[in-house]
Every structure is written in C-alpha cells, then in structure tokens.
Amino acid sequence: MKKLLYIFTAGIFAMSCSTDHATPLDFGAEGYLSGSSFLVESYEVYNHDDFSTNDLAAIYDSVYMTFNAGNLYLTKVYGGSGSSAPTRYLIDTISADFASGALMGLWMNESDRFEINGFDRVDNTAGMEYSGRSADGNFESHFIKMEKLDQHPKGAQVASGLPG
C-alpha cells in the first residue's frame, strides 16, 4: 500500500513539474491565455439532463475564443470564406475567473458560473472542460479543443479590443 501511494505521489509531482502539462490549477494559465486568440477545433456541449450532445464548432463556419482583461470573447462566425452569404459575427462576452494565475471558472452571466474541471495545454494546442447549470436550468459539460493563433480574427479583434 505504501509503495502504491509513493508511486501515485511521485506521478503527481512529476506531472506538476512539466512545462508542457497543465491541470485545473495551472498557475500559468492566465499568462498563456491572456491576450491570445484560439481557433476552436471542437466545442462539444453535453446536456446531462436530456443526454444530448451538440458540437458548436460544427454548427458555425468557425468559432474563436479570445481572452483579454479577465474576459473570454466567444466569437461564432457565419458565412464568408467562399460563401455567398455575408459574414456575420455572434459574440458572447464571458467573465473568466482567475485565481493566482489559474483558470477557476467562467461566468456566463450574472448568475451562471461554470467550474473548470480540466485544463491542459501542449505548445499551441489547449483543451478544457467546464461544467455547470445553464441559463435554461440544465446541467451541462463543455469540452473544448483549440489551437492558438498568431493573430486575432476580425470578429474577436473588434469584441476584445486587441490589435489584429
């Protein structure tokens, strides 16, 4: 039993010392995310109440996340990029809760807080899971995989105030 506890403790220590690995208490998350935009490759929302799953990245032509000044700007894009329809941007502003540099939660509105269950990053790829009760009262889990961009996309740039 002591040997198993030692192996488990050593494994946690080794993981927490890696610069490429992050946990929900990644104290470098704020520095990594702040002032950055990400192309969302997948954004699955699982509804625990009716057992349904939706992928927001598949619904829109593209989805971006931009972090700036304690906010997350979720930019959903319709049209453009070869489409005959004009480009439209739907932008949600979400408050990001950081504590000592770690991403702890997201406030969707004044009363709906989603807790961060997992955050991981390797180089320019990041993933996170957060869950909570949505505005319609359903308990949801959100699973996101995103790729860090070198510049801010137009819709995200306008919403966040960051340069292109």
Side-chain angles (χ1 to χ4, degrees):
M1 184 68 168
K2 283 185 179 181
K3 189 179 230 180
L4 184 60
L5 181 60
Y6 172 76
I7 292 169
F8 178 73
T9 305
I12 289 176
F13 179 74
M15 287 189 307
S16 67
C17 293
S18 169
T19 58
D20 287 339
H21 183 79
T23 65
L25 293 177
D26 173 11
F27 297 107
E30 186 172 18
Y32 177 78
L33 296 169
S34 187
S36 299
S37 285
F38 298 83
L39 172 63
V40 176
E41 295 175 355
S42 67
Y43 189 137
E44 291 187 24
V45 178
Y46 177 72
N47 184 320
H48 293 266
D49 296 330
D50 67 10
F51 309 108
S52 64
T53 301
N54 291 310
D55 187 353
L56 293 182
I59 295 171
Y60 300 98
D61 292 317
S62 52
V63 178
Y64 301 98
M65 288 186 153
T66 301
F67 292 82
N68 190 34
N71 287 320
L72 160 61
Y73 300 93
L74 180 62
T75 305
K76 298 165 275 193
V77 183
Y78 280 113
S81 298
S83 170
S84 61
T87 303
R88 292 186 349 201
Y89 301 96
L90 302 172
I91 302 168
D92 296 324
T93 302
I94 300 165
S95 294
D97 178 19
F98 291 97
S100 299
L103 181 60
M104 303 301 289
L106 299 170
W107 290 95
M108 302 304 173
N109 58 45
E110 294 159 356
S111 61
D112 297 326
R113 177 182 165 84
F114 281 64
E115 298 290 329
I116 301 299
N117 300 325
F119 177 78
D120 196 11
R121 59 186 164 104
V122 176
D123 298 325
N124 288 330
T125 302
M128 73 172 99
E129 175 192 351
Y130 57 91
S131 60
R133 197 148 303 276
S134 66
D136 59 8
N138 293 321
F139 188 79
E140 298 176 345
S141 291
H142 297 230
F143 304 92
I144 299 164
K145 180 183 178 201
M146 55 192 184
E147 191 73 25
K148 196 171 195 176
L149 301 172
D150 293 332
Q151 60 186 16
H152 305 291
K154 184 177 180 182
Q157 179 185 10
V158 171
S160 68
L162 292 168

